[in-house]
Amino acid sequence: MSEEPAPLRATGIDQSFGDVEVLSDVSLSVDRGEVAAIVGPNGSGKSTLLRILAGISPPDDGTVTVPADAGGARSLGFLPQRPAFREGFTARDTLGFYAQLLDGVDNEDVAETLDLVGLAGVADRAVGSLSGGMTRLLGLGQAVLGDPAVLILDEPGSGLDPAMVERLFGIVGNLAADGTAIVVASHELPAVEAHADTVFLLDEGDFLASGSPTALLEETGTETLSEAFLQIVGTRAGETTVRAGVGRRANETETGGKRDDE
Ligand code: ADP
Ligand code: MG
């Protein structure tokens, strides 16, 4: 038995929706203290993968193992891409509600979490009156409550101003420094470049590239992660920029898989 819990590990994940294959034999592992960023075009399967990693939906095939809780009240925290909170609750009551669901998490932890995500000053405002950025931070608070060993965040920075994105990734970096294993899907490539230890570029059903930001720049001969992304993913003339799935099984004709909501 080692002192350190095993990393988050996914092996051979397959996922299709109807005839559309979204994930094909995807594997990854994330260690304690590691920030792993999942980047990729809209519709490439990031949210699907994160829901599978979080145990929200079982994959068609493959396995996910999450370390047993490392002293926290739960082993895994998850921020969905579209978290839904009750508008009439205050920020404090919202986290208080989630705290009730977790053993050993009390009002003091709620106050600490509000402080951690920078919402202490608006703790008693109704969620419905919070800005979009504050609501995202509340979502982060919900995910980190109970000190999970694994934190899975689906586009926590989308819609945030650059300062807020920096703040969010700063919090993520601090949590990793405390030993949390973090998986974050994000389109904020400058922040990913600055804060992620490992980048997984998801497209066409699997990772087209993975490695440290520096390694990806070296591999592609580019100066920024955004350039590396564009070079690897490419732009396909005549196609929409969203992905409609890797491929279709036999007898399937072309269908629109476009989603315009992200
Ligand atoms: P991303 O998060 O990278 O934008 P998603 O994982 O949300 O991508 O979606 C990947 C693909 O899977 C898209 O084509 C999407 O329409 C499809 N998809 C996701 N969830 C479902 C579902 N529950 N039923 C059918 N198709 C889905
Ligand atoms: Mg998504």
Side-chain angles (χ1 to χ4, degrees), residues 123-252:
D124 296 309
R125 275 202 215 162
V127 169
S129 70
L130 298 181
S131 72
M134 290 173 180
T135 310
R136 288 267 148 195
L137 293 171
L138 184 63
L140 179 66
Q142 172 274 119
V144 305
L145 201 60
D147 199 15
V150 174
L151 191 55
I152 297 182
L153 308 171
D154 197 352
E155 297 201 24
S158 71
L160 300 190
D161 70 59
M164 203 70 113
V165 169
E166 268 309 305
R167 170 183 200 143
L168 190 137
F169 274 87
I171 295 169
V172 164
N174 289 340
L175 290 165
D178 285 343
T180 310
I182 299 175
V183 181
V184 53
S186 176
H187 292 300
E188 282 77 35
L189 297 185
V192 167
E193 186 177 336
H195 298 281
D197 298 302
T198 320
V199 178
F200 293 90
L201 202 166
L202 182 65
D203 197 12
E204 318 256 314
D206 199 359
F207 300 129
L208 295 186
S210 64
S212 69
T214 316
L216 291 185
L217 300 195
E218 274 173 20
E219 215 173 277
T220 51
T222 53
E223 300 285 323
T224 66
L225 189 59
S226 300
E227 287 171 40
F229 178 102
L230 290 172
Q231 186 184 109
I232 294 169
V233 168
T235 45
R236 299 189 216 154
E239 273 194 33
T240 57
T241 54
V242 296
R243 297 300 191 248
V246 186
R248 295 174 182 82
R249 296 185 186 144
N251 304 326
E252 182 68 5

Side-chain angles (χ1 to χ4, degrees), residues 1-7 32:
M1 291 286 286
S2 80
E3 293 283 309
E4 293 287 299
R32 286 175 61 81

Side-chain angles (χ1 to χ4, degrees), residues 16-219:
S16 297
F17 295 109
D19 294 310
V20 179
E21 188 179 29
V22 176
L23 301 174
S24 174
D25 198 18
V26 172
S27 299
L28 88 164
S29 71
V30 184
D31 284 307
R32 286 175 61 81
E34 181 176 0
V35 178
I38 311 289
V39 306
N42 294 119
S44 57
K46 300 180 297 298
S47 294
T48 300
L49 177 60
L50 263 53
R51 280 197 301 270
I52 289 169
L53 294 177
I56 303 293
S57 47
D60 293 341
D61 201 5
T63 55
V64 176
T65 54
V66 175
D69 75 86
R74 58 175 169 169
S75 53
L76 186 142
F78 177 51
L79 171 62
Q81 188 164 355
R82 296 179 202 78
F85 297 118
R86 291 213 178 177
E87 306 233 317
F89 277 27
T90 65
R92 190 191 309 281
D93 289 344
T94 301
L95 293 192
F97 169 77
Y98 287 100
Q100 279 178 9
L101 304 175
L102 298 169
D103 277 343
V105 178
D106 57 22
N107 287 338
E108 202 177 312
D109 298 307
V110 167
E112 276 175 19
T113 301
L114 287 165
D115 205 33
L116 174 80
V117 300
L119 292 178
V122 296
D124 296 309
R125 275 202 215 162
V127 169
S129 70
L130 298 181
S131 72
M134 290 173 180
T135 310
R136 288 267 148 195
L137 293 171
L138 184 63
L140 179 66
Q142 172 274 119
V144 305
L145 201 60
D147 199 15
V150 174
L151 191 55
I152 297 182
L153 308 171
D154 197 352
E155 297 201 24
S158 71
L160 300 190
D161 70 59
M164 203 70 113
V165 169
E166 268 309 305
R167 170 183 200 143
L168 190 137
F169 274 87
I171 295 169
V172 164
N174 289 340
L175 290 165
D178 285 343
T180 310
I182 299 175
V183 181
V184 53
S186 176
H187 292 300
E188 282 77 35
L189 297 185
V192 167
E193 186 177 336
H195 298 281
D197 298 302
T198 320
V199 178
F200 293 90
L201 202 166
L202 182 65
D203 197 12
E204 318 256 314
D206 199 359
F207 300 129
L208 295 186
S210 64
S212 69
T214 316
L216 291 185
L217 300 195
E218 274 173 20
E219 215 173 277

